[in-house]
Amino acid sequence: MPAAQRPTQLVRATTDLGPRRQSPQGQPRDEENWELRHGWEEEYNSEEYLNKLNAAFYMYFTDKRHETGGKPKEEDHQHPSQEWRMRDRVKTVFAGLMLCLNIGVDPPDVIKTNPTATLECWIDPTSPSTSANTKVMELIGKALQSQYETLSIRTRYKQFLDPSVEETKRCCVTLRRNARDERVLFHYNGHGVPLPTSSGEVWYFNRNYTQYIPVSLYDLQLWLAGPSIYVLDVSHAGNVIQNFNRFVEKHEAESEEARLKDPNAPVQNYSDNIILAACGQAETLPTNPDLPADLFTSCLTTPVTISLRCFVLDCQLPLDITLKDLEKVPGRLQERRTPLGELNWIFTAITDTIAWNTLPRELFRKLFRQDLMVAALFRNYLLAERLMRANNCHPTTQPALPPTHTHPLWQAWDLAIEMVLAQLPALIASEEGGPQYEYQHSVFFTEQLTAFDVYLSQGAPDQKPPDQLPIVLQVLLSQVHRLRALVLLSKFLDLGPWAVNLALSIGIFPYVLKLLQSAAHELKPVMIFIWARILAVDQSCQTDLLKDNGYKYFLTALKPDAQIPIPNVSEHRAMSAFIIAMFCRGFHQGQVVSLSPELFHACLCHLEDPDNPLLRQWSCLCISMLWQDFSEAKWAGIRVGAHQRLCQMALDPVPEVRAAALHALTNFLGIPGLTEQVASIEQAIAATIIQMTLDGNSMVRKELLVFFSTFVKRYENKFLVAAFEELLAELQRLRSPNTEAEQVRHAMNHAQSGPGSPADSSRELVSKYSVHATIWKHLLIMSVDPHPEVAYYATLITDYIHFGLLASALGPRVQCLMDELVGLWKRSNSNKQAPPPAPSPKVTHPLQPLTLTNPPKSESYLSLSIKRTASVAAALKNMTLGGSSTASHETATNGTNRSQRPNSLRPQAPAEWSRPPDAHDPASHSPAYTKAKSPVPRGYKPRNYEDMPSLPLKSGFYEWSIEYFREPQMKPNEPDEPGSDDYNSRLWRRMRNEKTLNTTQPLKSLAGSSRWDTPSGFFRNDSQPMKMCFHQFEEHLAVADDRDTICIWNWQQSARINRFSNGNPSGSRINEVRFINEDDQALLVTGSSDGVIKLYRDYESEKEVELVSAFRGLSDLVPSTKNAGLIFDWQQGQGKLLVAGDVKVIRVWNAATEICTNEIPARSGSCITSLTSDQVAGNVFIAGYGDGAVRVFDQRERPATAMKKAWRHHKQWITNLHMQRGGMRELVSGSRNGEIKLWDIRMDEPIRTIAATRDTLRTLSVHEHAPVFATGSDRHNISVFNVNGAFLSTFEEYTDCEYVLSSASDDVGLFGVGG
């Protein structure tokens, strides 16, 4: 697709919008002349309004918290893959400079050319000016030492000029004794002695200089030991390397033998030796008279000088420069703004980069980062390899290095030299009094930063390390390029932990640490960003921040009045809060120095920031890490009311912020010395956040359970009392011979009034009205949470307390009570003709599992819900072994018969016409029915029942939150990145959707006048369908049966592509099935009669289907004679879920915040049987009731005044109520007696009434866009009408059974029928 045609952002298809006014051929459609119902014509045809709706469109339940469930990644991905700090850093503290020149006397085995190379350390001992000097050797020795001092000024040098064997031994032994375990440098210039022997011997003099004496490598190693570095500037130097390791192994074998004889014997270290040899085994050093005789030494110690000379000698272009002029290059090596200093700077960057890109990482760190002297020598050795090879010598090293002499960056070095030499005549003339000339600096670093920027713009394909990273390190030394380099470095670090590891291994850390002392205002944003990325990968930098008070840099940036020169200030303050949190985490010294009223004030002030949830989240976590296990900080927080402010965050619209507040409150618990004041504060916190048990986000509920576990552990004795009294109360309720309805009513009173209330027991309870008893009740409720991970956490807590009861002094009595409880359950089960449960064994040890059977569940969804949440036995059965971790995963048995369910919990039964149409349906019996697998969240691990539960629970939320700073934030997400697989897939789906719309929209006019009698498919579901739902664009049909199984069919191919269980408890069923996010990758939403909402991802794949979210949409179901259960309506445009049923309110759940944002009174004592809403603006919704009423609500109003109209024209149960999302927005209702009515919310009377059937209306389905609807009656026939009341067709199903209708929203001409 051409770039010009690619959309800048993917917007939704116009599925949920008003009439589409333009056809593909540009001709106006017939809809243009239609008048929308309800007075929405002008508003919904406004381009401005429709564009606004498009701009505000989102996909829901697709955030990271839904992908991961708040669980951090595996440990291996959280920490650096390599250790970047040099723990075994070694220094070269002493150096012996051995010069065996014997000037004027040539060794016998060396034949020199004439003319020949004579310069030694840039001094010509044969020139008249120096040959007359009797101390020429001293001059050369001082020059060599001066050259080495440019590499390492702190190393102590000792010159040995033409030494004898005895002097050499004494020198080497002294160097090793003084250096101890540090490195010693041994420089050997053997230009005046014979060549090294084939066995590796080197030559020295006797005392009288009459003989050459060979010294074995064995002796030299014995004197110097290790660690040492040998520089061998002599012909045939390769012989030394060839034999070196052989003698090292001999020394180590002798040391091992001595250690075996005497374990206390002193042993020398002969390892960790480095050798730099000037040439190979049979090679002779260059004798070019224009080059120095010690060319290898010159490359190692004066690389810039020798590079200039070699460039002039090898240059093919005419240069108005002589070799003498090279001595006049201005500047000093240490001054980077001078020509000589700039060349040295560029040379360091180039050689570092060549080594980085060529050497293995471990070898690079050892040679270029462990020791300053070694690093300088090896940088210069790369130049020596290049120049020596050009003169037919092949220098070698130990450890061996790969060839680097042909690296492309050497061309950049030649260019830098050429640019300096091109300006040299003018610079010389200027210094000699000629015209003033300003030196033009090299563009090397600018060009390399540009190349690095190009690399970053390509997105670092395959995580290939950038060639320019060491150069960026060098650029940080320059104020001119520093800001740009830091910005590019921050972009690189943003690529992920692998990039941070690379930057740390290259040695970036000392530079960014030193820059914290900079007062430059413009560096603050980028420094904060860089440090956030570093700390997210490696927390060991805490001690470095403590040094020189580097942490204050971020404390200052966190202040509300701090000036940061960047538009998104709040995001950088969030990073600063993250840095301080990481600085304090597990680091007591960091907590002590950070503790201040100013930090608390800044964090609490940032909690008020309405625009940046990341800042609110990390402000909470910063407080959490500040006072974790630090009582002084907790008391400081109490003085400023931090705990109270954190409790208020329980209603924050962002789940991550709510979880962060809970994390901070959890770490607040545990002030040493449990005084009355401390207990009062902690109990007040617990009482305040109990409301979060109803939070719709599982991550928040899990974090709440971590808080509860800490609270339970701290007040364990009080919870043992509360659990014991709840056990007694449970038995009291079961012992009373009340009817089941009275038991349910009593359970409800018990749940509302709390344990220990007067309605519960006549005696006074110790835990009466206490927060501990209330929390214990909620823990029992959460132990059967619909989300497996939440239930897993809660059962660990309840099991811990129950085991504590058994291990306490009350253990025998508790065991008897549990046995009695089991007996009562058995008796209840036998009365219902259920199979008897297994007996409970005596518990003699806390680790012995309890094998309590499942409590008898009433087959009414209502009594089931109450008993599940309030039953001690329901929690007991999950202790350790012997039960599922979540009771909500129990499923109906094959023999469930809905006709056996109690039809009424009220004294008087309702009239037949106000019952649900399926109230007396017999249950289906299918011998082929098998239990399907229940999807679980990603990464869910079932509980190991062999492990004893322990408290407190461990939270993974903080680690999960850190991952935000390990993920790329500067580039678009993968689905939003043009060219990515996700983007292309989304683009294809959008084009597919538009094509479907353009193809099907012209068929609307035909749909209202054509017969609907052509079968499109038939398939067997193996169980009775109860709810069906078509996907708008995919060929998917979701079918929920009368138990808890959902089947996904490809209706085009009549093939079942997946089947899974919704995990309903026994006696409940699926009431609603819907698709959401249909314009992209849809999720499947189910609503069950026990008040639970569940969402599934990848529902069409048997292997990949996962539970995204599960929560109780209705937590307080009211006894009803009609048993509507839970019904909901989804508003994609608004991201809202309207939930109602057997409750007295209509709850509005916000999908973005995952909390109930509104509770609108239902304004009726009857249950709500159907919900529908305007799918465009989403403000108006309509509810149908069991008594036949239809009410219109407006969400923009206050809950008390939200109801705007009530129609009571229907007299019987509303079977279905639906407003079209397209077309004319027809609002159609159907009641049990077969009446179909069309409404306009502006009118008090129905627009039209249609008698669809004289039989009981079982189901009604309205097409989303076409002006047609279909009805199904209890005589098993389907009738299709248009909205004008005209009968279009009728047909009967193949089998004698109930019908379920569903319409395809955008495949005009398709209805689904289930039987």
Side-chain angles (χ1 to χ4, degrees):
M1 182 177 182
Q5 299 178 9
R6 182 180 296 139
T8 57
Q9 62 178 4
L10 294 178
V11 297
R12 60 171 170 175
T14 52
T15 313
D16 297 323
L17 305 184
R20 301 167 181 85
R21 295 170 303 284
Q22 196 71 16
S23 67
Q25 294 79 17
Q27 298 298 325
R29 294 186 177 140
D30 294 338
E31 290 181 3
E32 192 174 78
N33 298 321
W34 290 7
E35 179 181 354
L36 290 183
R37 302 290 188 200
H38 323 299
W40 293 336
E41 174 70 25
E42 181 177 353
E43 183 179 19
Y44 288 178
N45 283 338
S46 167
E47 287 291 341
E48 179 181 356
Y49 184 76
L50 297 181
N51 291 336
K52 179 181 177 181
L53 290 176
N54 265 331
F57 182 77
Y58 301 99
M59 297 296 172
Y60 297 95
F61 297 100
T62 57
D63 296 325
K64 181 186 175 183
R65 63 177 180 268
H66 302 113
E67 297 284 340
T68 63
K71 296 185 291 293
K73 296 178 182 178
E74 293 298 327
E75 196 73 14
D76 294 340
H77 298 285
Q78 296 184 8
H79 298 285
S81 58
Q82 56 186 2
E83 177 59 45
W84 57 272
R85 292 182 186 271
M86 296 303 301
R87 304 294 183 186
D88 53 347
R89 188 178 293 276
V90 181
K91 297 179 181 178
T92 302
V93 293
F94 287 93
L97 307 180
M98 305 286 177
L99 294 175
C100 300
L101 298 180
N102 199 14
I103 296 174
V105 180
D106 293 337
D109 56 351
V110 175
I111 302 175
K112 295 184 178 180
T113 60
N114 189 18
T116 189
T118 57
L119 292 176
E120 297 283 353
C121 299
W122 301 105
I123 296 175
D124 186 358
T126 63
S127 68
S129 60
T130 57
S131 60
N133 192 338
T134 57
K135 297 184 178 181
V136 63
M137 278 296 294
E138 286 83 350
L139 293 177
I140 295 175
K142 289 181 180 179
L144 179 61
Q145 179 174 335
S146 177
Q147 291 173 194
Y148 266 108
E149 285 175 346
T150 62
L151 306 183
S152 176
I153 190 64
R154 295 187 178 182
T155 302
R156 299 180 64 178
Y157 299 92
K158 183 68 175 176
Q159 303 171 27
F160 296 92
L161 310 177
D162 290 338
S164 64
V165 175
E166 292 78 7
E167 289 175 331
T168 301
K169 178 180 179 180
R170 185 171 58 253
C171 159
C172 294
V173 172
T174 303
L175 290 175
R176 172 47 57 198
R177 182 174 61 251
N178 294 336
R180 297 183 181 178
D181 294 330
E182 300 292 348
R183 182 172 279 121
V184 172
L185 170 67
F186 179 81
H187 179 96
Y188 178 78
N189 184 328
H191 296 172
V193 294
L195 303 176
T197 66
S198 58
S199 60
E201 295 171 314
V202 293
W203 297 87
Y204 288 91
F205 305 100
N206 62 0
R207 290 185 177 181
N208 300 323
Y209 295 95
T210 58
Q211 288 183 331
Y212 299 107
I213 307 298
V215 175
S216 170
L217 269 180
Y218 179 85
D219 295 332
L220 197 59
Q221 292 171 354
L222 182 65
W223 301 338
L224 280 176
S228 299
I229 178 170
Y230 299 81
V231 178
L232 307 175
D233 191 348
V234 62
S235 298
H236 292 202
N239 288 333
V240 178
I241 290 184
Q242 185 69 21
N243 295 277
F244 193 88
N245 287 336
R246 178 164 56 90
F247 290 109
V248 168
E249 292 171 0
K250 184 176 181 181
H251 280 296
E252 290 178 345
E254 292 174 352
S255 298
E256 185 65 26
E257 184 178 350
R259 191 183 294 109
L260 291 175
K261 293 180 179 180
D262 183 6
N264 299 322
V267 177
Q268 280 277 26
N269 174 28
Y270 296 98
S271 61
D272 195 16
N273 293 299
I274 299 173
I275 305 175
L276 299 176
C279 57
Q281 289 181 262
E283 293 180 342
T284 304
L285 296 179
T287 57
N288 186 341
D290 293 327
L291 296 175
D294 60 345
L295 176 61
F296 187 64
T297 300
S298 299
C299 292
L300 294 182
T301 56
T302 56
V304 175
T305 304
I306 192 63
S307 294
L308 290 170
R309 176 178 285 261
C310 290
F311 183 86
V312 171
L313 293 174
D314 296 338
C315 184
Q316 304 298 321
L317 299 176
L319 291 174
D320 190 17
I321 296 175
T322 65
L323 294 178
K324 284 289 183 182
D325 291 338
L326 297 180
E327 301 175 2
K328 300 179 182 180
V329 176
R332 298 173 61 246
L333 293 176
Q334 294 77 15
E335 297 176 359
R336 289 188 293 272
R337 299 300 295 170
T338 64
L340 199 59
E342 187 176 61
L343 279 177
N344 186 58
W345 185 25
I346 294 174
F347 176 79
T348 302
I350 287 177
T351 51
D352 238 22
T353 304
I354 291 175
W356 164 259
N357 293 321
T358 308
L359 272 60
R361 292 287 180 262
E362 196 60 36
L363 184 59
F364 174 84
R365 291 176 61 222
K366 177 182 178 180
L367 300 182
F368 287 81
R369 292 296 181 263
Q370 189 181 62
D371 185 342
L372 292 178
M373 173 67 83
V374 173
L377 286 174
F378 269 93
R379 275 197 299 267
N380 300 344
Y381 170 81
L382 301 183
L383 175 68
E385 183 190 15
R386 186 188 188 210
L387 298 184
M388 298 291 287
R389 280 177 177 267
N391 289 274
N392 300 316
C393 282
H394 297 79
T396 55
T397 64
Q398 180 181 308
L401 302 185
T404 60
H405 61 286
T406 58
H407 196 280
L409 270 179
W410 286 121
Q411 299 177 16
W413 173 237
D414 292 339
L415 177 61
I417 292 176
E418 185 176 2
M419 291 182 66
V420 171
L421 294 180
Q423 303 178 68
L424 184 58
L427 291 171
I428 295 175
S430 177
E431 289 188 356
E432 294 177 351
Q436 290 293 324
Y437 181 80
E438 183 178 356
Y439 174 66
Q440 302 297 316
H441 293 281
S442 172
V443 296
F444 170 77
F445 289 107
T446 303
E447 293 175 344
Q448 293 300 318
L449 288 180
T450 302
F452 188 44
D453 197 4
V454 171
Y455 164 86
L456 293 173
S457 66
Q458 295 175 348
D462 301 326
Q463 297 186 357
K464 179 182 179 297
D467 296 342
Q468 300 80 16
L469 193 57
I471 297 176
V472 176
L473 177 68
Q474 291 295 323
V475 174
L476 294 180
L477 300 173
S478 168
Q479 292 186 355
V480 176
H481 306 290
R482 181 175 295 161
L483 181 58
R484 185 187 178 195
L486 286 173
V487 171
L488 293 177
L489 178 62
S490 65
K491 291 181 179 180
F492 176 68
L493 298 182
D494 187 60
L495 295 176
W498 69 272
V500 177
N501 284 326
L502 280 177
L504 292 176
S505 65
I506 198 65
I508 213 81
F509 184 76
Y511 295 83
V512 295
L513 181 63
K514 189 175 182 180
L515 285 175
L516 292 180
Q517 308 303 321
S518 172
H521 210 51
E522 67 276 4
L523 296 183
K524 275 192 174 182
V526 65
M527 286 299 297
I528 292 172
F529 186 94
I530 288 173
W531 269 95
R533 263 56 193 175
I534 292 176
L535 282 171
V537 173
D538 193 344
Q539 192 181 339
S540 67
C541 305
Q542 293 168 317
T543 54
D544 301 283
L545 284 177
L546 189 60
K547 298 175 184 177
D548 302 324
N549 298 324
Y551 68 94
K552 292 184 177 180
Y553 191 91
F554 308 104
L555 284 175
T556 304
L558 188 57
K559 293 180 179 179
D561 56 350
Q563 299 298 319
I564 302 179
I566 199 168
N568 54 340
V569 176
S570 60
E571 186 171 347
H572 282 76
R573 285 178 178 154
M575 295 180 197
S576 299
F578 164 73
I579 293 170
I580 297 300
M582 295 296 291
F583 177 61
C584 295
R585 184 190 185 199
F587 186 50
H588 183 68
Q589 291 175 287
Q591 292 174 308
V592 172
V593 298
S594 299
L595 177 59
S596 65
E598 290 77 14
L599 179 57
F600 271 111
H601 171 72
C603 291
L604 295 179
C605 181
H606 293 321
L607 293 182
E608 306 290 342
D609 189 317
D611 300 323
N612 194 325
L614 185 68
L615 178 57
R616 301 198 303 273
Q617 175 185 349
W618 278 104
S619 295
C620 293
L621 292 176
C622 183
I623 294 175
S624 177
M625 292 297 104
L626 177 63
W627 64 24
Q628 184 180 28
D629 300 326
F630 187 29
S631 57
E632 288 84 353
K634 294 178 183 179
W635 282 112
I638 291 174
R639 286 190 288 271
V640 298
H643 62 292
Q644 297 171 344
R645 184 66 189 90
L646 288 170
C647 288
Q648 296 173 11
M649 303 304 291
L651 297 178
D652 192 275
V654 179
E656 287 85 350
V657 178
R658 301 198 296 271
L662 286 171
H663 191 279
L665 292 173
T666 302
N667 284 336
F668 176 81
L669 300 177
I671 297 178
L674 189 55
T675 63
E676 185 177 350
Q677 179 189 5
V678 171
S680 175
I681 293 174
E682 292 181 346
Q683 292 175 22
I685 292 174
T688 303
I689 64 175
I690 281 179
Q691 60 179 318
M692 300 183 74
T693 56
L694 300 179
D695 198 289
N697 183 265
S698 61
M699 179 179 68
V700 176
R701 300 202 301 276
K702 285 191 293 184
E703 203 61 32
L704 177 64
L705 285 169
V706 175
F707 174 89
F708 281 162
S709 70
T710 308
F711 191 79
V712 167
K713 182 68 176 178
R714 186 162 170 83
Y715 299 92
E716 183 172 341
N717 290 334
K718 294 183 180 295
F719 278 94
L720 289 174
V721 173
F724 180 71
E725 292 183 345
E726 179 64 24
L727 180 61
L728 293 177
E730 179 88 3
L731 283 170
Q732 180 65 27
R733 289 193 297 271
L734 292 176
R735 288 167 181 166
S736 59
N738 297 337
T739 64
E740 184 173 332
E742 290 172 343
Q743 289 183 19
V744 172
R745 192 176 299 108
H746 186 85
M748 173 167 292
N749 293 334
H750 177 77
Q752 294 174 349
S753 59
S757 64
D760 185 45
S761 178
S762 59
R763 71 179 186 85
E764 189 72 17
L765 300 178
V766 176
S767 61
K768 180 179 180 180
Y769 302 132
S770 70
V771 66
H772 311 93
T774 307
I775 290 177
W776 179 247
K777 172 61 69 175
H778 281 282
L779 287 172
L780 291 175
I781 294 173
M782 298 182 78
S783 68
V784 287
D785 192 272
H787 197 281
E789 291 176 346
V790 177
Y792 171 82
Y793 274 39
T795 53
L796 287 176
I797 303 175
T798 56
D799 287 0
Y800 178 86
I801 292 299
H802 283 146
F803 277 122
L805 277 176
L806 292 170
S808 68
L810 293 173
R813 186 182 177 190
V814 170
Q815 182 65 68
C816 294
L817 294 175
M818 290 182 177
D819 290 342
E820 183 181 355
L821 183 62
V822 172
L824 291 173
W825 286 126
K826 290 168 62 178
R827 191 180 313 145
S828 176
N829 283 340
S830 62
N831 292 337
K832 296 183 182 228
Q833 298 180 354
S840 172
K842 295 289 183 181
V843 178
T844 58
H845 189 276
L847 288 177
Q848 182 176 350
L850 291 178
T851 313
L852 301 181
T853 56
N854 299 348
K857 315 275 189 197
S858 167
E859 302 204 23
S860 163
Y861 76 91
L862 168 66
S863 58
L864 167 80
S865 173
I866 294 177
K867 289 187 177 181
R868 282 175 65 231
T869 57
S871 173
V872 176
L876 289 177
K877 79 180 187 64
N878 292 320
M879 291 177 61
T880 317
L881 292 174
S884 168
S885 61
T886 44
S888 61
H889 286 184
E890 300 170 15
T891 56
T893 60
N894 292 344
T896 301
N897 190 326
R898 284 180 293 149
S899 63
Q900 297 177 358
R901 290 184 295 174
N903 293 326
S904 174
L905 296 180
R906 295 179 178 177
Q908 296 180 356
E912 181 64 27
W913 48 264
S914 62
R915 290 185 183 277
D918 59 352
H920 296 292
D921 285 353
S924 63
H925 298 275
S926 174
Y929 185 86
T930 57
K931 177 75 169 63
K933 182 180 178 181
S934 295
V936 295
R938 182 176 299 176
Y940 173 72
K941 297 179 181 178
R943 177 178 171 182
N944 184 1
Y945 288 98
E946 295 180 358
D947 297 336
M948 185 73 176
S950 62
L951 297 185
L953 301 176
K954 302 297 182 183
S955 170
F957 176 75
Y958 188 83
E959 277 294 339
W960 180 84
S961 299
I962 293 175
E963 292 176 0
Y964 174 86
F965 295 101
R966 297 174 183 153
E967 298 166 349
Q969 304 297 332
M970 290 187 180
K971 70 175 186 178
N973 295 327
E974 189 72 12
D976 301 324
E977 181 73 32
S980 67
D981 291 341
D982 289 346
Y983 182 93
N984 291 339
S985 298
R986 179 172 289 182
L987 183 62
W988 177 86
R989 283 191 294 269
R990 177 174 179 251
M991 297 174 64
R992 185 272 316 269
N993 298 350
E994 291 291 350
K995 181 180 179 181
T996 301
L997 294 172
N998 293 332
T999 303
T1000 57
Q1001 291 306 312
L1003 302 177
K1004 288 183 180 179
S1005 57
L1006 300 176
S1009 58
S1010 303
R1011 291 183 58 81
W1012 292 63
D1013 54 4
T1014 304
S1016 296
F1018 173 82
F1019 38 87
R1020 185 173 181 82
N1021 198 57
D1022 291 336
S1023 59
Q1024 180 175 327
M1026 296 300 294
K1027 293 293 178 180
M1028 297 167 53
C1029 183
F1030 281 101
H1031 192 291
Q1032 284 196 71
F1033 304 107
E1034 303 284 353
E1035 298 171 351
H1036 295 164
L1037 172 64
V1039 180
D1041 65 11
D1042 57 344
R1043 304 180 192 186
D1044 72 337
T1045 304
I1046 299 171
C1047 294
I1048 307 299
W1049 291 86
N1050 184 315
W1051 55 265
Q1052 283 278 31
Q1053 301 175 3
S1054 298
R1056 190 176 70 190
I1057 55 180
N1058 196 13
R1059 178 178 181 267
F1060 58 90
S1061 170
N1062 193 51
N1064 283 25
S1066 176
S1068 65
R1069 64 175 182 177
I1070 301 173
N1071 285 111
E1072 294 282 358
V1073 179
R1074 298 286 178 87
F1075 290 105
I1076 69 172
N1077 301 345
E1078 292 179 271
D1079 285 338
D1080 195 52
Q1081 291 179 307
L1083 302 178
L1084 184 67
V1085 185
T1086 65
S1088 302
S1089 58
D1090 59 347
V1092 170
I1093 302 289
K1094 292 187 177 182
L1095 295 95
Y1096 298 97
R1097 177 194 303 113
D1098 297 325
Y1099 58 87
E1100 74 281 6
S1101 172
E1102 183 176 357
K1103 295 181 179 179
E1104 299 178 4
V1105 60
E1106 295 173 343
L1107 181 67
V1108 177
S1109 180
F1111 61 95
R1112 294 192 184 277
L1114 299 178
S1115 56
D1116 48 358
L1117 293 170
V1118 176
S1120 169
T1121 60
K1122 303 175 181 59
N1123 293 344
L1126 175 146
I1127 58 100
F1128 68 80
D1129 188 55
W1130 167 251
Q1131 296 179 335
Q1132 183 71 46
Q1134 294 290 319
K1136 292 179 180 179
L1137 192 69
L1138 308 176
V1139 185
D1142 285 329
V1143 290
K1144 296 181 180 180
V1145 295
I1146 302 168
R1147 286 190 175 154
V1148 182
W1149 287 86
N1150 189 307
T1153 63
E1154 298 186 65
I1155 55 177
C1156 179
T1157 56
N1158 203 359
E1159 284 193 355
I1160 301 174
R1163 304 291 291 271
S1164 174
S1166 179
C1167 63
I1168 297 178
T1169 65
S1170 184
L1171 275 177
T1172 188
S1173 61
D1174 167 31
Q1175 290 292 327
V1176 181
N1179 298 317
V1180 175
F1181 69 89
I1182 304 94
Y1185 292 77
D1187 60 1
V1190 177
R1191 290 179 172 86
V1192 181
F1193 297 86
D1194 192 334
Q1195 297 186 61
R1196 293 169 293 188
E1197 297 285 341
R1198 293 184 299 108
T1201 60
M1203 193 192 79
K1204 294 303 178 184
K1205 190 177 291 294
W1207 295 308
R1208 294 181 174 84
H1209 297 75
H1210 289 293
K1211 301 303 181 184
Q1212 297 191 21
W1213 180 283
I1214 299 297
T1215 300
N1216 194 15
L1217 175 71
H1218 190 77
M1219 176 183 288
Q1220 291 181 311
R1221 72 174 65 181
M1224 293 180 61
R1225 313 286 169 167
E1226 296 284 6
L1227 176 59
V1228 183
S1229 65
S1231 62
R1232 188 178 186 275
N1233 62 356
E1235 280 189 349
I1236 307 296
K1237 296 183 182 294
L1238 278 69
W1239 307 90
D1240 191 308
I1241 62 174
R1242 298 169 295 179
M1243 302 180 182
D1244 296 329
E1245 299 294 328
I1247 299 173
R1248 186 172 292 107
T1249 300
I1250 303 170
T1253 180
R1254 295 182 180 180
D1255 303 310
T1256 301
L1257 182 69
R1258 304 299 299 263
T1259 183
L1260 166 68
S1261 183
V1262 183
H1263 201 285
E1264 293 289 4
H1265 298 282
V1268 295
F1269 61 88
T1271 63
S1273 69
D1274 58 359
R1275 290 188 179 274
H1276 316 300
N1277 63 340
I1278 305 298
S1279 300
V1280 183
F1281 301 84
N1282 64 21
V1283 294
N1284 294 323
F1287 173 79
L1288 299 180
S1289 61
T1290 184
F1291 55 90
E1292 293 187 1
E1293 190 47 63
Y1294 305 116
T1295 59
D1296 188 30
C1297 58
E1298 177 186 358
Y1299 286 96
V1300 181
L1301 290 177
S1302 178
S1303 66
S1305 48
D1306 276 298
D1307 284 299
V1308 176
L1310 183 66
F1311 270 101
V1313 181

